[in-house]
Amino acid sequence: MNLGSDNLAGASPKIMAALLKAAEGTQSPYGQDDFTKAAAAALNEAFEAKAEIFFVATGTAANALALAQITRPWSAIFCHETAHINEAEAGAPEGLSGGAKIVGVSGAAGKIDPEALVAATARFRKGWQPHVQPAALSLSQVSECGTLYQRDEIRTLTGFAHAHGLKVHMDGARFANGLVALGCTPAEMSWKAGVDVLCLGATKDGALACEAIMFFDPALAHEFTWRIKRAGHVLSKGRLLGAQMLAWLDQDHWLDLARHANAMAALLKAGLGSHDGVEFPWPVEANEIFVWLHRALAERLRQANVTYAAWPPLGTPFGARSPAEGTFARFVTSFATTPDMVKYIVTAAKAP
Ligand SMILES: *Cc1c(COP(=O)(O)O)cnc(C)c1O
């Protein structure tokens, strides 16, 4: 049993059934098919938007291409220092943007501290030739620590960004998990809060491989179609992406899947939290649980074949502890996590 990430699960049966159906018959290639057009329309309806929308198969491609679109090679992109674009994309945003510089900003629990953002941007003077030019702010919702920006927190950061001429990108690999946790509308957590371009991940929330890039101001998408083609990210059988997105959105399937994942995380957190030898550095607000496991408890989980991701304890009080004392762990629940799985883990972790 492995809960190290939410991409360890396969795909929702509803989405797989839609894929099988979409494989029938002929359709125009390269995203000109009926499924892709309907998926874009459905997304715009869900977001109360008139966005220009593109689909790719990976979140890294979505982030890197979106950021390349809103920057120049001599730009600076500000994000939390733990952000996926900074730490887990092998330099794709720098590479596909032709060299834009990513600047990590500090802040507790994976969220950018507004004062630290002010200080970070102030280090690069506009119009000063030796400095990279501030161009973009990237926010991860859900954050890398499993925490959420409240809407007013998003607005504070995007307000500052826009006042300083920065465009705002949101890495929404777990957007749906954040959305159902905050209980607001998709528009309220994106464009109404000042997000200019959203990378909306369906993959970790039940799709096989599908991410949408939404430019809420269509002018921002100028010639983007060549950017993704040039990067080799236009699927010949584009219907396979469109069909996934359509099924994911249909009858709020995406929200149901995310609600389930979040509920399983809450259950697991409560269960583990009832044992001795566990400490949580950050609140569990969506579907990710970061937890310090005392060695004896970690050993019981190991014997029960429960696997999680061992995580670097950066920004936690556990960094100074020796590995002999325990492990810092990440559990991520998904649409496919069951109450029985949670019960099994909680029972296995319990001291005899
Ligand atoms: C998983 C993830 C992505 C996308 O990653 P891919 O593996 O390239 O699909 C982007 N951002 C965050 C925060 C993620 O967790």
Side-chain angles (χ1 to χ4, degrees), residues 5-335:
S5 182
D6 37 5
N7 61 9
L8 301 174
S12 122
K14 175 174 174 172
I15 291 172
M16 291 311 292
L19 266 172
L20 274 180
K21 191 95 187 64
E24 295 169 6
T26 56
Q27 284 286 337
S28 298
Y30 304 119
Q32 300 307 309
D33 60 279
D34 297 340
F35 296 96
T36 300
K37 287 177 190 162
L43 270 177
N44 268 331
E45 195 186 324
F47 278 77
E48 308 163 64
K50 292 192 175 67
E52 278 290 325
I53 300 172
F54 301 83
F55 300 101
V56 292
T58 77
T60 297
N63 283 337
L65 291 166
L67 287 165
Q69 182 71 3
I70 58 173
T71 57
R72 312 296 310 268
W74 48 88
S75 294
I77 300 166
F78 299 88
C79 63
H80 192 272
E81 52 201 3
T82 62
H84 202 267
I85 62 165
N86 193 30
E87 298 208 313
E89 299 187 353
E94 293 95 327
L96 294 187
S97 66
K101 180 184 180 74
I102 294 193
V103 181
V105 182
S106 60
K111 300 197 291 184
I112 293 174
D113 170 12
E115 284 179 20
L117 178 63
V118 172
T121 52
R123 295 181 61 164
F124 302 95
R125 209 196 312 161
K126 282 245 168 193
W128 179 237
Q129 192 190 42
H131 285 173
V132 285
Q133 295 293 290
L137 168 67
S138 176
L139 302 176
S140 306
Q141 180 80 321
V142 177
S143 83
E144 293 295 330
C145 297
T147 54
L148 289 171
Y149 288 102
Q150 298 297 313
R151 274 191 290 150
D152 59 336
E153 293 177 311
I154 300 176
R155 279 195 301 263
T156 298
L157 292 166
T158 62
F160 171 81
H162 289 151
H164 286 75
L166 312 181
K167 295 283 185 241
V168 179
H169 161 262
M170 180 175 273
D171 177 347
R174 297 189 178 87
F175 186 92
N177 301 94
L179 187 67
V180 297
L182 284 192
C184 61
T185 67
E188 285 168 343
M189 208 171 85
S190 57
W191 64 271
K192 285 186 179 171
V195 174
D196 297 302
V197 52
L198 169 66
C199 293
L200 174 64
T203 307
K204 284 174 177 150
D205 187 38
L208 195 59
C210 183
E211 316 279 315
I213 306 168
M214 304 182 69
F215 293 97
F216 294 109
D217 173 4
L220 272 186
H222 181 63
E223 297 193 340
F224 188 71
T225 189
W226 284 276
R227 188 182 295 283
I228 45 177
K229 180 63 178 173
R230 187 171 189 266
H233 276 287
V234 176
L235 258 65
S236 169
K237 295 185 182 175
R239 70 169 103 172
L240 300 179
L241 296 178
Q244 290 181 73
M245 184 55 68
L246 258 187
W248 190 63
L249 294 172
D250 182 53
Q251 294 185 348
D252 289 345
H253 189 45
W254 61 312
L255 304 179
D256 291 340
L257 296 173
R259 255 183 224 112
H260 176 83
N262 289 6
M264 292 302 103
L267 202 59
L268 182 56
K269 199 238 166 187
L272 287 177
S274 68
H275 298 332
D276 289 334
V278 300
E279 291 167 70
F280 302 94
W282 307 305
V284 173
E285 296 183 320
N287 65 326
E288 291 180 274
I289 299 160
F290 291 86
V291 57
W292 170 267
L293 306 174
H294 186 273
R295 192 183 54 168
L297 191 148
E299 179 55 23
R300 288 195 291 276
L301 289 180
R302 196 188 63 77
Q303 283 180 3
N305 279 320
V306 173
T307 310
Y308 44 78
W311 211 254
L314 298 172
T316 74
F318 317 128
R321 296 183 188 173
S322 96
E325 292 177 75
T327 311
F328 189 47
R330 181 183 87 160
F331 292 85
V332 191
T333 54
S334 76
F335 71 93

